[in-house]
Amino acid sequence: MISLENSREGLCFKSMDSECHKIADWWVNNTVDHENGGFWGAIDNADNPNKKASKGIILNTRILWFFSEAARHYSDASYLEMAKRAYHYLTEHFDDTVHGGVIWELDFTGGPISGKKQTYAQAFAIYSLAAYYRCSNDDNALAKALSYFDLIESKTIDLKYGGYLEAFSQNWDYIEDVRLSQKDKNLPKSMNTHIHILEAYTGLYRASDNSRVANSLKNLLVLICDTILDNQTYHLRLFQNMDWSDMSESYSYGHDIECSWLIWDAVTALGDPTLMERYKPTVLKMAEICLEQSLGDLGQVCDQYTFVDKKKHIESEWWVQAEALVGFLNAYQLTGKTEYFSACEKIWRFTQEQHIDFTNGEWSWFAKRDRTKDNEMYKAGFWKGPYHNGRAMMEASELLKTFSSYSGGKIHAMAN
């Protein structure tokens, strides 16, 4: 049995819920673009908006997903209003009414810059629209999500080798540069796109109970666990050629632990005991390897391990700690092994000390110990929304409630 004081530092559902509200408050108070609609495209670490920054579909969908889930989770009308704002901006500016799907990037006024169809972006649109439907009961949102599902299934699947291809032109033709970002390899298939299709289809199935979505989700589980996951090392292969030959140059610890709990979330949504029995060992082995290999000197989950220098990089990004918190709590729930809970305590302490801005709100991209003048990044921007940390707070809160009893200001976490 583990006892924790119910304080800001304690790993308990009350601290998770409290931080989630603080995250939401920061986004409500700092990100709404009242001049041009939608949300500012970037906000720096001093909370100053860049009013001329472009607006990306990933940021908009992550805002939509978070506030949709928070509105449903906490029954908060102000969160629902934020979700509605993000939903209408998506459907009015990012939705491609000619070719289908969502486009990649707009200028600060809402005019199109890039019509590129990144499969990853279509997945986030599905994920967020399904969440919005569940909080709003807006049938148009579910219909739109299902239409994007149809596009992914009809336009992006590799019919010869299987899996989903990375990117296309606005009218779904071939393009040479399919990279998701400049730091990614220009290859036709990636782990990152597939695990985010997994989470999108999981959310869509919960919203729709659609049999076609269920079948695609089951096929995707097989693909991820048998092909993308290296079943010798239990790390994900990051980049692949068309024939699935591995071109990876590193392990990504954050993606490994994120994928472990996303797999379990998918089989839980499907509600099939046979699938749970089949995939539980994989989920736990991924968490076990991550626990053994990824931790840094302060208990943080490190960024990556690179093959060329055979080095574990100890830098910490905000999203890695968020996903590790959920992944290890999930492993603790499934096993009762206290080393997972202890790891979460250290991760949460590190996150509070190194990432969370308790003065102004939100989380910094890099840990304080890893920041330099040139790499501080931003609190909100093209790749940073309230999705990783906001989701982690809600997921962790629910997990803690399932194996905890609250009494007299203390949390008692019981092994299953």
Side-chain angles (χ1 to χ4, degrees), residues 20 86 89 117 149 178 181 208 235 237 251 267 285 344 416:
C20 193
Y89 200 80
K117 296 292 169 61
F149 165 78
V178 299
S181 70
S208 66
H235 293 291
R237 298 182 174 102
Y251 300 140
V267 297
K285 191 65 177 179
C344 289
N416 291 346

Side-chain angles (χ1 to χ4, degrees), residues 17-18 45 49 61 72 78 98 103-104 106 115 120 134 166 182 185 187 192 206 213 238 291 307 350 383 393 398 411:
D17 286 336
S18 175
N45 274 330
T61 53
R72 189 171 59 85
S78 66
V98 177
I103 64 173
W104 184 244
L106 309 171
Y120 178 100
R134 293 184 73 198
E166 285 293 294
Q182 290 186 346
K185 295 176 73 69
L187 289 167
N192 206 8
R206 282 200 172 103
V213 176
L238 304 190
L291 185 67
F307 302 157
F350 176 88
W383 290 104
M393 296 302 94
E398 290 308 300
I411 292 295

